[in-house]
Amino acid sequence: MSAQPRPFEQPIYVTRPMLPELAVFTRHLEAIWSSAVLSNGGPQHVELERRLQAHLGDGHIALFNNGTNALMTAVKALDLSGEVITTPFTFAATPHVLSWHGIDPVFVDIEERSMTLDPERIEAAITPRTTGILAVHVYGNPCDVWAIERIARKHGLKVLYDGAHAFGTRVEGRAIAAYGDATMFSFHATKLFHTAEGGAVVMNDPDLKRRMELLKNFGIANEVSVPAVGINSKMNELQAALGLCLVDAVAGEKLKRRAVAEVYDRHLADLPGVTRPKLADPAVDSLQYYCLRIDPREAGIARDAVYEGLKHYNVFARRYFYPLCSDYGPYRDLPSSARENLPVANRVGEQVLCLPLFGDLGVDAAERVCAALRAVMTGPDRR
């Protein structure tokens, strides 16, 4: 690693989307042009559903035009109402889909190690109005799915997982979507696997699958029957075609990302106050993000100063997730948003920093990122 790090010539962002060879994508476009089918479950859509089984499990898959609509449709299909317990340490879409349906999100604190919902806090937050739990597999790190299942069964609650980061995550050999009533996956361009925009919901109940398909197509059952109020959230053929070009590339991308992560592990292990949250055991990492926690007392520098300092080297890390959702305007006045109710989430939110992680970054660039980070935290460039 260079003792005198130099800025990158071009900005290095926290992620970069995989893109297929243009000629490969063009062949799929030619098939679409030949069929003249652009939406409504065309051949590309059908094939992508089939191909995703190997990655998302043996459950029933419903594809969507984006992850937020997938999550919104799942909330509706599960008939959630009243109050739903969720985490403040997540992307805005998680609580928004509840509020959009007129459901009150109830925030509970997270576990220190996994940064996922703390089951011990969940049960204390249940009221007669609670109908479900919306938990998030943060950075692909699985929630305590067994504890959440026990709580849900005891109180008759539905369990919906936001697995936006969890493509390929497995627990005890089972796909992450095997747990809970339904799991949403995001296929946004920032994700490990993507369709530019897109998403999916995986569920084990075939009746729930049928309801999801109905709701994502305006509630239309056939030419003369509209038995439900739905929305238009179908994945189109162009999105599905891009997904088909990339689904086989995931394994290679993960190998490249693992090599980058190993560089980070090796070069940053001795930095005071810097830790990498450990994946829950036994689990398979999705390699969606590489997250550090920076303890300002031990590191002698705050996370935000590191975040800003890296920009001088053209490295744009991300503070996922900061601020907490409980600090957003629509939610900050909720009783469950009070800081004293969320001490771990607030501490974690002020410490996390995700470094660039994508296959094309490469080992050499990863070492330069490490050199920049060390310079910001310990060297003469410390700010």
Side-chain angles (χ1 to χ4, degrees):
M1 201 186 307
S2 173
Q4 298 294 327
R6 66 188 188 280
F8 285 90
E9 295 74 20
Q10 299 295 326
I12 302 297
Y13 296 108
V14 73
T15 190
R16 180 186 296 171
M18 284 196 298
L19 288 172
E21 294 290 335
L22 192 56
V24 175
F25 188 45
T26 298
R27 287 198 292 271
H28 283 271
L29 294 181
E30 289 171 348
I32 293 172
W33 259 244
S34 178
S35 71
V37 176
L38 297 180
S39 188
N40 290 10
Q44 306 286 320
H45 180 287
V46 171
E47 179 62 10
L48 182 60
E49 271 197 357
R50 187 188 69 80
R51 296 288 301 282
L52 286 173
Q53 291 282 352
H55 297 273
L56 301 181
D58 296 328
H60 303 279
I61 299 175
L63 299 181
F64 289 82
N65 57 359
N66 62 61
T68 302
N69 278 341
L71 202 56
M72 284 185 61
T73 307
V75 168
K76 184 71 171 178
L78 289 169
D79 199 27
L80 299 180
S81 63
E83 296 176 350
V84 169
I85 293 169
T86 193
T87 173
F89 190 66
T90 184
F91 184 62
T94 309
H96 282 358
V97 299
L98 300 174
S99 296
W100 197 267
H101 283 295
I103 298 168
D104 295 327
V106 176
F107 298 114
V108 303
D109 211 359
I110 62 176
E111 293 182 323
E112 188 82 42
R113 187 185 74 140
S114 69
M115 299 174 291
T116 61
L117 271 180
D118 186 343
E120 293 186 5
R121 302 282 184 168
I122 292 174
E123 196 151 21
I126 295 172
T127 74
R129 297 185 66 234
T130 307
T131 58
I133 300 167
L134 174 50
V136 179
H137 301 305
V138 177
Y139 312 133
N141 191 24
C143 299
D144 188 339
V145 291
W146 304 280
I148 289 174
E149 183 177 354
R150 287 194 298 270
I151 293 169
R153 286 182 177 178
K154 178 180 176 181
H155 295 276
L157 305 178
K158 300 289 180 59
V159 178
L160 173 59
Y161 284 111
D162 181 334
H165 300 170
F167 189 93
T169 295
R170 304 183 73 84
V171 180
E172 290 193 340
R174 301 178 69 195
I176 194 65
Y179 303 91
D181 292 287
T183 301
M184 181 278 293
F185 296 91
S186 171
F187 300 155
H188 185 269
T190 57
K191 301 303 186 288
L192 171 68
F193 168 80
H194 72 91
T195 57
E197 286 273 8
V201 175
V202 180
M203 62 233 93
N204 297 314
D205 183 355
D207 289 333
L208 183 59
K209 154 77 170 176
R210 285 189 285 271
R211 182 159 170 76
M212 293 285 288
E213 295 291 346
L214 182 71
L215 292 174
K216 79 177 188 182
N217 186 34
F218 305 98
I220 297 173
N222 54 52
E223 290 183 356
V224 296
S225 177
V226 185
V229 176
I231 58 175
N232 180 15
S233 53
K234 302 183 298 294
M235 176 180 284
N236 64 54
E237 287 290 89
L238 301 177
Q239 292 175 298
L242 182 57
L244 285 171
C245 292
L246 295 175
V247 69
D248 288 334
V250 169
E253 172 70 10
K254 290 189 74 170
L255 286 175
K256 293 178 183 178
R257 290 187 179 207
R258 187 169 288 110
V260 170
E262 288 172 354
V263 170
Y264 290 156
D265 286 344
R266 186 167 62 252
H267 288 303
L268 303 179
D270 64 339
L271 276 176
V274 175
T275 56
R276 185 186 182 194
K278 297 298 184 183
L279 194 70
D281 293 325
V284 174
D285 192 353
S286 68
L287 290 170
Q288 174 61 57
Y289 291 111
Y290 188 96
C291 174
L292 297 176
R293 284 182 61 178
I294 300 172
D295 185 332
R297 295 169 300 179
E298 296 182 20
I301 184 172
R303 184 275 315 275
D304 285 355
V306 177
Y307 167 76
E308 294 296 338
L310 285 172
K311 293 179 183 179
H312 292 277
Y313 295 92
N314 233 355
V315 176
F316 292 83
R318 289 296 298 268
R319 297 170 291 184
Y320 286 139
F321 294 99
Y322 175 84
L324 299 180
C325 290
S326 50
D327 290 331
Y328 293 172
Y331 307 117
R332 65 169 63 107
D333 293 330
L334 294 175
S336 64
S337 295
R339 287 184 68 90
E340 57 267 27
N341 294 335
L342 307 168
V344 179
N346 277 281
R347 181 167 60 253
V348 170
E350 292 167 359
Q351 293 181 355
V352 290
L353 188 69
C354 290
L355 299 183
L357 183 63
F358 51 90
D360 286 344
L361 179 65
V363 168
D364 291 344
E367 291 184 342
R368 290 180 63 185
V369 171
C370 292
L373 183 64
R374 296 185 76 92
V376 170
M377 295 192 67
T378 64
D381 291 337
R382 182 169 177 166
R383 295 172 175 84

